[in-house]
Amino acid sequence: MKTVSLTLDEIYDLAKRTLAFNGCDETNAESVSRTVCRAERDGSISHGLFRIPGYVASLRSKKVNGKAKPKIEELTQNAIRVDGDYGFAPIAINTGIPALVKITKKFGVGVLTITNTHHFAALWPETEALAEEDLIGIACTAYKPSVAPAGAKKPLFGTNPISFAWPRPGKTPAVYDMATATMALGEVQVAARDGHKVPLGTGLNKEGELTTNPSEIANGGVLLPFGGYKGSAISMMIELLSAGLVGDLFSFEAKEEDNNDGGPARGGEFIMSMSPELIAGKDWHVHAEKFFEQMLSLDGVRLPGQRRHTNRLSNEPRNINKELVEKIKELFS
Ligand code: NDP
């Protein structure tokens, strides 16, 4: 794979210029570009510049409102809703998080429901934003069907990611962010693009047989949930929280509504936060650190999030797929 070297500022500018050229206003272009740039900074490459052609496709097809002005509404003393005004998710999330932090610090528990958005990003930005405020964050979202529930050969669930962040004052949080499919569809697409095989058990081809060829899974095949029926149950929970509870589209409904422009389908997101200080007491972090000490004393163990947090420390330029950069440049000419 040929690459070009881009600084983080160049990555941000490339994303912002492309989004602005294709219909985003300044605030929306900034929110999405920051999300894209942070993904590249952390090495979450399937949610960095790789997503720009999809973002642009849905701006061009007018599915997504590039000038969205999300509105915030109080549902109960502990729950708020942000209506994303049919824009991309980052601006709706940025609108809701400060209010979520405020109610969680007051009442101990808070729920933020995000509706009418198009989510095409990783979820760690929202859970880490909560952890930076010394709160526990949980977030999940559903997507168009690409995963077969345990026992089935046809898709019903999205790749349905879930992220959990535990704050560690003075340190980066322990944070996982994972698709409940064996692999995120973006990763399967990157593997197909780069000519890599995927492990057997990742998905089925269109005949319903196991395959290691990512193209066969991405084109007419189906992904499987991680961990068989256990991952399938978690994926079901994500559908119920991010669509049933939030009051937005289940994956199967998102598919019916989507125009298949290659960009993100419409959907909602469930975000919950808890204050360990209000719930466990003021020494919560001293207690939790004892657990982390035990965990990290075991050979071979690292905390989830550590790979990204280590990548984050480098200000060096990132190597980006050359073909992708050329493709993006064609989107604003
Ligand atoms: P991975 O399988 O790469 O990683 C999942 C989690 O496991 C990460 O938090 C990772 O931390 C951690 N991890 C990996 N290896 C280890 C290890 N050896 N020890 C401890 N922890 C480890 O992620 P996925 O491919 O499942 O998902 C990728 C991204 O795709 C996610 O950010 C997800 O939000 C996103 N996604 C978004 C969708 C959407 O609709 N918006 C749909 C589906 C997925 P680390 O990062 O530090 O390696």
Side-chain angles (χ1 to χ4, degrees):
M1 179 181 75
K2 286 193 180 148
T3 60
V4 286
S5 175
L6 295 183
T7 64
L8 293 175
D9 284 346
E10 286 168 336
I11 290 168
Y12 176 82
D13 288 343
L14 179 63
K16 192 174 162 198
R17 188 173 165 194
T18 312
L19 293 163
F21 183 87
N22 285 282
C24 274
D25 65 16
E26 180 76 9
T27 325
N28 281 267
E30 261 176 28
S31 294
V32 177
S33 305
R34 213 174 305 125
T35 302
V36 164
C37 183
R38 285 179 183 165
E40 292 290 355
R41 176 199 65 186
D42 279 19
S44 293
I45 56 164
S46 58
H47 291 84
L49 289 170
F50 179 66
R51 294 285 174 187
I52 292 287
Y55 281 118
V56 168
S58 53
L59 286 166
R60 288 186 175 177
S61 77
K62 310 275 186 232
K63 179 173 76 186
V64 171
N65 176 8
K67 299 178 172 59
K69 293 191 178 16
K71 285 190 195 63
I72 193 159
E73 180 193 345
E74 192 180 303
L75 298 171
T76 73
Q77 67 173 18
N78 292 83
I80 43 177
R81 173 193 291 144
V82 171
D83 182 324
D85 193 22
Y86 302 95
F88 293 122
I91 190 163
I93 294 162
N94 295 346
T95 304
I97 291 285
L100 179 63
V101 167
K102 210 166 151 196
I103 60 173
T104 310
K105 287 191 173 172
K106 189 164 177 196
F107 299 112
V109 178
V111 166
L112 167 61
T113 70
I114 306 271
T115 61
N116 296 326
T117 52
H118 299 80
H119 207 302
F120 218 28
L123 300 183
W124 57 260
E126 37 268 45
T127 56
E128 281 198 21
L130 294 166
E132 278 159 18
E133 293 286 341
D134 288 341
L135 302 175
I136 297 158
I138 301 176
C140 59
T141 184
Y143 198 61
K144 288 195 292 187
S146 53
V147 177
K153 291 189 173 178
K154 298 240 178 290
L156 179 70
F157 300 149
T159 47
N160 295 3
I162 183 163
S163 177
F164 169 88
W166 179 276
R168 301 180 72 201
K171 297 188 173 115
T172 49
V175 45
Y176 70 72
D177 182 12
M178 58 182 207
T180 47
T182 43
M183 204 180 255
L185 194 56
E187 302 285 352
V188 175
Q189 288 162 343
V190 168
R193 182 195 70 188
D194 297 345
H196 300 146
K197 285 187 176 175
V198 293
L200 199 66
T202 301
L204 309 175
N205 62 19
K206 62 175 185 287
E207 282 78 39
E209 294 153 352
L210 288 165
T211 176
T212 57
N213 183 339
S215 296
E216 286 185 6
I217 298 171
N219 303 306
V222 64
L223 283 162
L224 293 171
F226 80 91
Y229 62 87
K230 297 185 184 184
S232 186
I234 294 174
S235 194
M236 177 189 76
M237 175 192 78
I238 293 169
E239 293 277 344
L240 292 168
L241 290 177
S242 59
L245 180 67
V246 164
D248 210 304
L249 303 175
F250 286 103
S251 295
F252 78 92
E253 293 170 325
K255 181 186 173 201
E256 284 163 12
E257 182 180 290
D258 196 43
N259 65 2
N260 296 316
D261 56 12
R266 182 163 77 81
E269 180 172 357
F270 170 81
I271 305 179
M272 185 172 178
S273 68
M274 286 167 273
S275 163
E277 185 168 349
L278 293 186
I279 296 172
K282 69 176 174 37
D283 289 334
W284 63 275
H285 49 98
V286 180
H287 189 202
E289 286 309 311
K290 287 186 185 157
F291 164 74
F292 288 124
E293 256 171 50
Q294 288 291 321
M295 200 174 154
L296 292 169
S297 72
L298 301 173
D299 273 349
V301 170
R302 72 152 167 100
L303 293 182
Q306 192 197 310
R307 176 194 62 89
R308 282 189 304 99
H309 295 148
T310 305
N311 287 339
R312 190 179 292 181
L313 296 175
S314 164
N315 282 323
E316 292 298 305
R318 299 321 196 238
N319 293 323
I320 313 289
N321 181 291
K322 187 166 183 272
E323 215 177 297
L324 173 65
V325 173
E326 282 162 6
K327 190 170 163 189
I328 293 173
K329 286 185 174 165
E330 282 168 15
L331 297 173
F332 58 81
S333 57

